[in-house]
Amino acid sequence: MGRGKIEIKRIENSNNRQVTYSKRRTGIMKKAKEITVLCDAKVSLIIFGTSGKMHEYISPSTNLVEMLDAYQRSTGKKLWDAKHENLSNEIDRVKKENDSMQIELRHLKGEDITSLNYKELMILEDALENGLAGLREKQSEIIKMIRKTGEMLEDENKQLQYIWHQQEMANMKGAIGERDDVYQRVRDYPSQMPFAFRVQPMQPNLHERI
């Protein structure tokens, strides 16, 4: 007896539904791989379960972007608008520029230059010479700036020493002036004292006798 026909409808029991999903997903993934190998077909399969988890399979000979582009060309349907197309083109352009800059950087480091022809080597040499000239110019500017800063610091140091010397001279003059003033006061002090005379009798008791 053959297997009975299964009615295709939603499985209400969550456990049974999850088991069936896992088995069917594995089976359809297997079929996608088989048709890719047996028939040299390009297959793109994307499955989202109820939990939101994604499962995908894409034939090794292609990628998702190529499959979507082929779908658009075949059906005439636009999967994204012109704005997104321009953004995608801009991303591709930036990636190409980045790859080109990485290659140029390796060449400037002296890496992977064996494949360059004579013209490309001359261009690389000019770039290196220009870079070296710019580096020397920048180095010269830095040296001039350092010298100028040193001269400014030296001038400021001389000015500070001059100001300090003037202050020292002023302090010395003030000290000498105070000392001379003290000497003058000491010299003039006796002449300014009043003289008081008291007559003492030679015989202290003479006035009593009189």
Side-chain angles (χ1 to χ4, degrees):
M1 293 179 62
R3 295 178 59 184
K5 186 176 181 181
I6 300 176
E7 184 180 2
I8 302 300
K9 67 177 183 179
R10 184 178 184 272
I11 301 173
E12 297 298 332
N13 186 282
S14 61
N15 292 331
N16 294 339
R17 186 168 59 245
Q18 182 62 34
V19 172
T20 302
Y21 170 75
S22 179
K23 290 181 178 179
R24 297 291 180 109
R25 186 195 69 227
T26 303
I28 196 171
M29 288 286 186
K30 181 179 178 181
K31 292 296 183 182
K33 295 177 182 179
E34 289 177 355
I35 195 173
T36 297
V37 176
L38 295 174
C39 306
D40 196 21
K42 294 181 179 180
V43 180
S44 177
L45 176 63
I46 302 175
I47 304 175
F48 287 93
T50 54
S51 63
K53 186 176 181 180
M54 185 186 74
H55 300 273
E56 64 175 338
Y57 171 78
I58 298 176
S59 300
S61 59
T62 185
N63 56 60
L64 182 59
V65 175
E66 291 180 355
M67 294 293 289
L68 293 176
D69 288 340
Y71 176 82
Q72 288 189 122
R73 290 192 299 269
S74 299
T75 62
K77 295 180 180 180
K78 291 290 185 180
L79 298 179
W80 43 71
D81 55 17
K83 180 179 179 180
H84 291 92
E85 280 193 24
N86 294 335
L87 180 60
S88 178
N89 294 333
E90 183 66 16
I91 292 174
D92 291 338
R93 184 187 65 82
V94 173
K95 287 182 178 179
K96 290 179 181 178
E97 288 185 357
N98 182 62
D99 293 340
S100 178
M101 291 177 65
Q102 291 293 334
I103 294 173
E104 185 177 354
L105 181 60
R106 288 199 299 270
H107 290 166
L108 291 173
K109 290 181 179 180
E111 301 174 358
D112 302 334
I113 60 175
T114 56
S115 60
L116 299 179
N117 56 37
Y118 178 77
K119 184 177 180 180
E120 291 172 337
L121 289 173
M122 292 298 295
I123 294 174
L124 180 61
E125 183 181 4
D126 292 340
L128 290 172
E129 288 180 354
N130 293 334
L132 183 60
L135 181 62
R136 289 173 177 171
E137 182 178 357
K138 188 64 177 180
Q139 184 180 15
S140 178
E141 292 178 0
I142 294 174
I143 292 175
K144 290 180 180 179
M145 186 181 300
I146 292 174
R147 289 177 178 175
K148 185 176 181 180
T149 303
E151 292 175 356
M152 292 175 61
L153 291 174
E154 186 177 356
D155 292 340
E156 290 180 0
N157 186 37
K158 289 180 179 180
Q159 291 179 2
L160 291 174
Q161 288 183 353
Y162 176 77
I163 293 172
W164 177 79
H165 180 70
Q166 293 296 323
Q167 290 178 348
E168 288 292 319
M169 292 295 294
N171 293 335
M172 291 178 62
K173 289 181 180 179
I176 294 173
E178 291 178 359
R179 185 189 62 186
D180 293 342
D181 184 56
V182 171
Y183 287 166
Q184 183 66 32
R185 290 179 183 179
V186 171
R187 189 167 53 249
D188 295 341
Y189 181 74
S191 62
Q192 295 176 359
M193 293 182 58
F195 289 93
F197 296 94
R198 181 178 180 183
V199 179
Q200 294 288 343
M202 295 185 64
Q203 297 180 0
N205 298 325
L206 180 63
H207 64 284
E208 294 179 357
R209 294 177 183 180
I210 293 174

